[in-house]
C-alpha cells in the first residue's frame, strides 16, 4: 500500500505526465495552450518532472530507494515513451516555425525589391518635375518682357475691330434698310453714335457719322410716311 502511494507521489501516472509536458512545450512556442484543469492556479504540478524545483539526482535516488525493480522498469518505459513524444512534438514545432520563418524571409525580400523599384520611380519622377519646373521658369522669364507687347497688341486688335465696324457702318446700315431690317439698322446706329460723337474732331469719323445720321434720318422719314399712309387708309387706330 505504501509502495503505490510513494509511486504516485514521485512519478505519477503515465497518462498525466506526458500531456502536461506537451502543453508546456506548446505554450512555450506559442502554438497551443491547454487550459489548466485545476481551480487553484498556485497548486503544484502532479508530475514531479514538471516542477520548477525538480532535481534529477534526488528524484532518481528516491525511486531506487522506494520502488521495486518491476515498477522501475515500467517507469523507465513510460519516460522513454514520453521522451519520444516530446521529441516528435518538438520536431514538428521546429519545422512549422522554420516554414514560417522562410515565408517571412521571402516576403521581406519581395517587399525590399518592391520598395527599391518604387524609390527608383520616385527619383525619376522627382528629376522630371525638376526639369519641368526649370522649363516653366525659363518660359516665364522669356515671356516677361513680351507681356506688355502682347497686351498692347490685344488692345490694338480690339481697337481695329471697332474701327472696322465704324468704317463699315454706313454700308451695313444701307444693307439693313434695303433688306427691311429696320430694327438692326437702328441698333447698329445707336451702338456707334456715342463713339462717333465723341470723336467728331476726326474728319474720317465725322464723315462716317454724317453718312450714318443721313441714312437713319431717311429711314425715319420713310417710316413716318408709311405710318401716315396706313393711317390715311384706315388701317391704324
Amino acid at each position: 500500500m505504501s509502495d503505490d502511494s510513494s509511486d504516485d507521489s514521485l512519478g505519477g501516472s503515465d497518462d498525466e505526465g506526458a500531456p502536461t509536458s506537451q502543453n508546456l512545450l506548446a505554450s512555450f512556442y506559442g502554438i497551443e495552450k491547454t487550459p489548466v484543469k485545476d481551480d487553484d492556479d498556485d497548486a503544484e504540478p502532479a508530475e514531479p518532472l514538471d516542477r520548477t524545483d525538480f532535481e534529477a539526482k534526488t528524484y532518481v535516488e528516491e525511486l531506487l530507494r522506494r520502488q521495486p525493480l518491476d515498477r522501475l522498469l515500467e517507469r523507465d518505459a513510460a519516460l522513454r515513451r514520453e521522451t519520444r513524444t516530446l521529441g516528435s512534438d518538438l520536431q514538428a514545432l521546429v519545422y512549422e516555425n522554420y516554414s514560417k520563418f522562410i515565408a517571412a524571409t521571402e516576403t521581406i525580400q519581395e517587399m525590399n525589391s518592391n520598395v527599391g523599384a518604387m524609390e527608383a520611380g520616385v527619383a525619376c519622377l522627382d528629376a522630371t518635375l525638376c526639369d519641368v519646373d526649370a522649363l516653366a521658369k525659363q518660359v516665364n522669364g522669356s515671356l516677361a518682357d513680351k507681356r506688355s507687347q502682347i497686351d498692347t497688341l490685344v488692345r490694338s486688335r480690339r481697337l481695329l475691330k471697332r474701327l472696322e465696324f465704324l468704317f463699315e457702318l454706313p454700308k451695313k446700315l444701307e444693307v439693313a434698310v434695303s433688306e427691311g431690317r429696320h430694327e438692326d439698322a437702328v441698333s447698329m446706329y445707336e451702338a456707334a453714335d456715342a463713339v462717333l460723337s465723341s470723336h467728331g474732331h476726326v474728319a474720317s469719323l465725322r464723315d462716317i457719322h454724317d453718312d450714318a445720321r443721313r441714312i437713319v434720318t431717311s429711314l425715319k422719314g420713310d417710316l413716318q410716311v408709311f405710318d401716315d399712309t396706313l393711317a390715311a387708309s384706315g388701317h391704324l387706330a
Side-chain angles (χ1 to χ4, degrees):
M1 188 70 178
S2 62
D3 293 342
D4 294 339
S5 61
S6 299
D7 181 61
D8 293 339
S9 64
L10 292 174
S13 61
D14 294 342
D15 295 336
E16 293 178 353
T20 302
S21 299
Q22 293 173 8
N23 291 337
L24 290 174
L25 181 62
S27 175
F28 175 78
Y29 279 93
I31 304 301
E32 180 181 2
K33 184 176 181 181
T34 303
V36 179
K37 296 181 180 179
D38 295 337
D39 295 336
D40 187 3
D41 294 337
D42 297 332
E44 288 291 334
E47 173 59 56
L49 277 70
D50 295 331
R51 294 177 180 174
T52 57
D53 58 349
F54 174 75
E55 295 183 2
K57 182 178 180 181
T58 304
Y59 178 72
V60 173
E61 290 177 351
E62 191 69 16
L63 283 179
L64 294 175
R65 186 173 62 84
R66 294 191 176 188
Q67 299 299 327
L69 180 59
D70 56 342
R71 298 300 298 274
L72 290 174
L73 292 175
E74 292 176 0
R75 186 57 181 159
D76 177 68
L79 289 174
R80 290 178 182 274
R81 289 193 302 272
E82 183 178 346
T83 301
R84 286 194 297 270
T85 301
L86 292 176
S88 299
D89 292 343
L90 179 60
Q91 187 177 15
L93 290 172
V94 170
Y95 286 159
E96 182 176 355
N97 283 277
Y98 181 75
S99 299
K100 293 180 179 179
F101 174 76
I102 294 299
T105 302
E106 294 176 352
T107 302
I108 293 174
Q109 291 177 350
E110 184 177 357
M111 290 177 62
N112 289 335
S113 177
N114 294 335
V115 169
M118 290 178 61
E119 289 179 351
V122 170
C124 180
L125 178 60
D126 184 65
T128 302
L129 291 177
C130 290
D131 293 340
V132 171
D133 183 64
L135 181 60
K137 291 180 179 179
Q138 182 180 358
V139 171
N140 289 332
S142 61
L143 293 179
D145 298 335
K146 298 181 180 179
R147 284 176 181 170
S148 60
Q149 298 178 6
I150 293 174
D151 292 339
T152 303
L153 291 175
V154 170
R155 288 193 296 269
S156 299
R157 184 175 181 275
R158 291 175 181 173
L159 179 60
L160 289 175
K161 284 288 186 181
R162 293 174 183 175
L163 291 175
E164 181 181 1
F165 173 77
L166 294 176
F167 282 113
E168 294 179 355
L169 180 62
K171 182 178 180 180
K172 289 182 178 180
L173 289 176
E174 291 177 350
V175 172
V177 171
S178 64
E179 293 178 353
R181 295 184 289 108
H182 300 156
E183 292 182 358
D184 292 344
V186 173
S187 297
M188 287 187 290
Y189 176 77
E190 290 179 348
D193 182 56
V195 176
L196 292 173
S197 297
S198 62
H199 293 82
H201 58 281
V202 181
S204 59
L205 295 179
R206 183 173 60 251
D207 294 340
I208 293 173
H209 196 192
D210 293 340
D211 292 340
R213 186 185 297 111
R214 176 182 53 78
I215 294 171
V216 172
T217 302
S218 176
L219 175 61
K220 288 181 180 180
D222 293 342
L223 292 176
Q224 185 63 42
V225 172
F226 181 72
D227 291 342
D228 293 342
T229 303
L230 290 178
S233 302
H235 289 84
L236 293 178

